[in-house]
Amino acid sequence: MTSLDSSPQAVQGAENVHGTPPVHGTQLAHGTQPAHGTEAAKQIPPAAVARLTIYLRALNTLLSDGVERVSSESLAEASGVSSSTLRKDVSYVGSYGTRGVGYEVQYLSRHISAALGLTHDWKVAIVGAGNLGKALARYGGFESRGFDVVAIFDADQMVVGNEVGWLRVSDAADMEAVLQRTGANMVVLALPATVAQAVCDRVVAAGVHSILSFAPVMLQVPEGVNLRKVDMATELQILAYHAQRAQTPDQTA
């Protein structure tokens, strides 16, 4: 296994990149994990789940600013959606607004977090200590959103033992033992296509069933494994299409 030489700049936009569905296994709405035992979370449409993560980010910003209540109109504007869409989405986790008064920010934030499974203890391991893997390991935004990066792996002996942020790169040969020791329950694959499937198989066999892959290949996983794929090249191609359409608005496809 070698490290994927990807640009660290991709990390900032990674949370908004839409993944592609897996061939097998369970597909999750982008940016979320299942809320174990939460019936409401299972019934939320994927598009609404994605928007709930945006509402949660806006609510947390309001909390940090000391705002106690917010109207649906204000929260919708901060989230880039219509107020009717916001009210419908919030109804999936329960109606916590009061007409003429709005939403209690802390209360709504707590319930959305619970619906998204963010009240659980999520421990993340990163496989691949190239530019992308190192940038992910150093990203401080994970902890504030409930994700604790507990390990990073690589097979390159020139990389093993190096410090990345507050972590030391572990040998990929010891991955199963380290995953068990750290209690990691999510794995990020920052790997080239040639080794991604073999590593993914090891991760699943080790008992980790929530995987986010940046590898440019469609991975096969068994039923019950939640796999999300982030394909930045595909997203750039889609952006290029829309940019071209914006430059030549009179042309039709």
Side-chain angles (χ1 to χ4, degrees):
M1 179 178 65
T2 57
S3 300
L4 178 62
D5 187 17
S6 299
S7 170
Q9 282 80 4
V11 176
Q12 182 178 2
E15 68 184 57
N16 291 322
V17 177
H18 295 287
T20 55
V23 176
H24 300 291
T26 304
Q27 180 185 3
L28 296 181
H30 177 74
T32 67
Q33 294 296 331
H36 299 297
T38 304
E39 186 66 24
K42 299 178 183 178
Q43 301 173 353
I44 302 175
V49 174
R51 289 190 295 268
L52 284 171
T53 67
I54 299 173
Y55 307 152
L56 182 59
R57 181 168 55 191
L59 288 166
N60 289 339
T61 298
L62 291 172
L63 281 174
S64 65
D65 292 339
V67 177
E68 296 182 355
R69 286 192 173 273
V70 61
S71 67
S72 59
E73 290 77 10
S74 296
L75 183 55
E77 183 179 358
S79 305
V81 301
S82 68
S83 57
S84 60
T85 296
L86 181 138
R87 286 192 294 269
K88 182 177 180 180
D89 290 342
V90 170
S91 71
Y92 290 117
V93 298
S95 180
Y96 303 108
T98 302
R99 185 179 297 276
V101 178
Y103 297 101
E104 184 181 339
V105 174
Q106 187 172 29
Y107 192 70
L108 182 57
S109 173
R110 185 165 63 248
H111 278 78
I112 292 178
S113 294
L116 295 177
L118 301 180
T119 55
H120 294 271
D121 187 16
W122 299 119
K123 296 183 178 180
V124 181
I126 299 169
V127 186
N131 287 344
L132 176 59
K134 288 188 290 188
L136 289 168
R138 291 170 176 151
Y139 177 53
F142 290 136
E143 185 175 3
S144 64
R145 299 184 185 187
F147 301 95
D148 183 16
V149 180
V150 295
I152 182 168
F153 301 93
D154 206 280
D156 186 347
Q157 296 304 307
M158 297 294 291
V159 175
V160 172
N162 291 347
E163 291 186 356
V164 179
W166 55 90
L167 297 171
R168 190 177 298 277
V169 179
S170 298
D171 194 331
D174 302 325
M175 184 172 64
E176 290 82 357
V178 176
L179 289 176
Q180 183 176 11
R181 176 172 55 80
T182 59
N185 48 21
M186 288 186 183
V187 165
V188 176
L189 302 179
L191 300 165
T194 52
V195 297
Q197 185 64 61
V199 174
C200 182
D201 292 343
R202 289 178 61 191
V203 168
V204 173
V208 179
H209 293 168
S210 296
I211 302 170
L212 176 65
S213 175
F214 286 86
V217 64
M218 187 65 71
L219 300 176
Q220 305 286 333
V221 296
E223 291 293 334
V225 174
N226 301 314
L227 172 68
R228 293 298 297 168
K229 182 179 185 299
V230 179
D231 190 335
M232 288 180 283
T234 296
E235 295 301 321
L236 288 172
Q237 290 171 337
I238 295 171
L239 282 175
Y241 167 77
H242 289 294
Q244 175 182 262
R245 297 277 295 185
Q247 292 171 2
T248 56
D250 295 331
Q251 295 184 9
T252 57

